[in-house]
Amino acid sequence: MFKIKTYNAISPKGLARFAPDRFEVGSTITAPHAILLRSHKLQGELVPGSLLAVARAGAGVNNIPVEDYGTQGIVVFNTPGANANAVKELVLAGMLLATRGILPGIAYAQSLGHMTDSAAMHALLEKEKAKFAGGELRGKTLGIVGLGAIGSMVADMALALGMKVLGFDPALSIDAAWRLSNAVQRMENLPSLLGRADYVSLHVPALDATRHMINAQALAGIKPGAVLLNFARETIVDAAAVLAALQSGRLGRYVCDFPEPGFAQEPKIIALPHIGASTEESEENCAVMAADQLIDFLDNGHISNSVNYPAIRMDRTPGATRITLANHNVAGVLGHALSVLAEAQVNVIDMSNRSRDALAYNIIDAGSAPGADALAAIGQVDGVIRVRVV
């Protein structure tokens, strides 16, 4: 029976994916085979020797020591796209809040609570409503930075609203390219997008390469009066540079999901309390997706949506024993492991090998189960991180 340790409040729909006759699930589990969590920080915590995998019910994994876990053979999963619709809808709300006089209009209407004469209130509102006039999204240009699961959905939404859409993503995957509408105009670089877009929406991960992607230099070239939307990660934007661009009038508005000190005093900023994925449906989708990925990995050795190991799957050979091997991506490791199996007279029927940066992963279906001595010998091969019979 596999043991799954949970942190945070995981949706019951996700927990229900674990069959009780095969999985023990709970927050007090010791020696877990897998961890399922949301925002709990694992940095600095003792790593159980039993731990095989961690699944984050969400897209960001900055609360998990991904690289360190990878070198220990621990596969880290996330759930890209499971919360995409929730974020997409909030981006639309952000654009509307930045464009129409919705928030000041609400505040003004609420300030009239002292009035008791309906006719007088309506007359006053008719007189004052021009103060809250705004524009429309139709016909405007939206620039999307990052065209993955969320970015492509935002693009489709904008096109349906009659907007023109520009896109920039230097790391666009083949799968993402297939999802992307051909009505999206691909831009060669970030400055060209910033200079043409009325709205700029950020949808890139928090990496060293994207830290302060939107900085003073980038904002100097943004279209005057543009609206910048950040529902990705706070580190992508240099907050001080944004404040300066707003105060100079270069940037029209900043709408984000990440409040910072000083934002509350700037009337051109609309800052939400990190609620982009905070919908019941999103939390359910993330939990179900994370649970399914853990189950498939523990039961079959398959990897999908990992942030430190390559995606890999292979149909099971009937009657075969499945062996999985995580190793450093250096020459000779797999060959030595196969030699050990050959010396133990274990016949390899089928196998698949994939690598990702410094790590590699292998699925091997063998005609018979290797003995403990053979498994120990494979584990001692230089470069092998973890070997497991599934």
Side-chain angles (χ1 to χ4, degrees), residues 4-11 14-15 18 25-27 32 34-43 45 51 53-66 69 74-79 83 233 282-291 293-294 307:
I4 313 295
K5 183 177 180 65
T6 61
Y7 291 94
N8 312 118
I10 304 298
S11 167
L15 298 179
F18 297 103
V25 183
S27 59
I35 290 174
L36 176 57
L37 80 170
R38 291 174 61 196
S39 58
H40 178 82
K41 293 187 180 298
L42 292 177
Q43 283 90 348
E45 293 197 1
L51 189 62
V54 175
R56 160 81 159 91
V61 289
N62 56 327
N63 57 321
I64 304 169
V66 174
Y69 278 15
I74 300 168
V75 180
V76 179
F77 298 91
N78 68 345
T79 56
N83 62 4
R233 282 291 182 268
S282 172
E283 291 178 5
E284 289 177 352
N285 292 341
C286 288
V288 167
M289 187 173 177
Q293 290 170 174
L294 283 181
V307 295

Side-chain angles (χ1 to χ4, degrees), residues 301-302 312-314 322-323 350-352 361-364:
H302 294 157
I312 184 172
R313 64 175 44 250
M314 187 177 80
R322 174 153 290 188
I323 306 163
D350 198 4
M351 66 173 292
S352 182
Y361 187 85
N362 311 271
I363 299 176
I364 301 169

Side-chain angles (χ1 to χ4, degrees), residues 18-352:
F18 297 103
D21 60 330
R22 296 191 300 114
F23 297 92
E24 181 184 353
V25 183
S27 59
T28 60
I29 294 289
T30 57
H33 298 102
I35 290 174
L36 176 57
L37 80 170
R38 291 174 61 196
S39 58
H40 178 82
K41 293 187 180 298
L42 292 177
Q43 283 90 348
E45 293 197 1
L46 183 66
V47 181
S50 59
L51 189 62
L52 302 171
V54 175
R56 160 81 159 91
V61 289
N62 56 327
N63 57 321
I64 304 169
V66 174
E67 185 175 351
D68 182 44
Y69 278 15
T71 60
Q72 298 179 63
I74 300 168
V75 180
V76 179
F77 298 91
N78 68 345
T79 56
N83 62 4
N85 188 71
V87 177
K88 175 203 77 175
E89 291 185 0
L90 199 60
V91 170
L92 174 58
M95 288 196 292
L96 291 171
L97 291 174
T99 304
R100 306 289 297 271
I102 297 171
L103 293 177
I106 291 173
Y108 179 73
Q110 290 178 335
S111 74
L112 304 180
H114 63 283
M115 298 186 70
T116 58
D117 186 323
S118 178
M121 177 180 282
H122 291 162
L124 181 62
L125 291 172
E126 283 298 314
K127 177 183 176 182
E128 298 294 331
K129 70 179 184 180
K131 294 179 179 179
F132 313 111
E136 297 183 10
L137 298 177
R138 183 178 180 84
K140 303 298 193 304
T141 298
L142 171 64
I144 301 174
V145 182
L147 297 167
I150 298 174
S152 61
M153 290 184 72
V154 171
D156 288 341
M157 173 191 71
L159 291 169
L161 290 169
M163 301 183 77
K164 301 172 185 177
V165 180
L166 311 177
F168 170 67
D169 191 336
L172 186 66
S173 69
I174 295 175
D175 288 343
W178 277 107
R179 288 195 300 265
L180 196 63
S181 168
N182 58 12
V184 176
Q185 183 179 349
R186 293 279 306 278
M187 307 302 290
E188 294 299 322
N189 53 63
L190 181 61
S192 61
L193 180 145
L194 295 177
R196 293 178 55 185
D198 301 299
Y199 300 81
V200 176
S201 192
L202 307 175
H203 299 288
V204 294
L207 306 170
D208 289 341
T210 60
R211 180 174 177 79
H212 288 182
M213 169 186 282
I214 304 300
N215 51 28
Q217 181 179 357
L219 290 168
I222 202 166
K223 184 175 180 179
V227 174
L228 176 65
L229 302 109
N230 180 16
F231 290 89
R233 282 291 182 268
E234 66 272 21
T235 56
I236 297 166
V237 170
D238 182 342
V242 164
L243 284 169
L246 289 168
Q247 291 162 5
S248 71
R250 183 74 187 186
L251 185 63
R253 283 188 178 274
Y254 180 48
V255 187
C256 71
D257 214 12
F258 315 100
E260 294 279 356
F263 280 10
Q265 288 73 43
E266 174 50 67
K268 296 179 182 178
I269 292 181
I270 300 172
L272 303 174
H274 202 183
I275 58 173
S278 295
T279 66
E280 181 179 343
E281 295 88 346
S282 172
E283 291 178 5
E284 289 177 352
N285 292 341
C286 288
V288 167
M289 187 173 177
D292 287 349
Q293 290 170 174
L294 283 181
I295 292 168
D296 198 20
F297 174 72
L298 294 172
D299 283 348
N300 301 303
H302 294 157
I303 298 177
S304 57
N305 295 321
S306 171
V307 295
N308 57 356
Y309 275 90
I312 184 172
R313 64 175 44 250
M314 187 177 80
D315 291 340
R316 274 189 177 270
T317 304
T321 296
R322 174 153 290 188
I323 306 163
T324 63
L325 183 69
N327 59 277
H328 296 289
N329 188 22
V330 294
V333 178
L334 179 58
H336 288 148
L338 293 175
S339 296
V340 172
L341 292 177
E343 290 172 6
Q345 296 186 340
V346 175
N347 183 42
V348 173
I349 300 173
D350 198 4
M351 66 173 292
S352 182

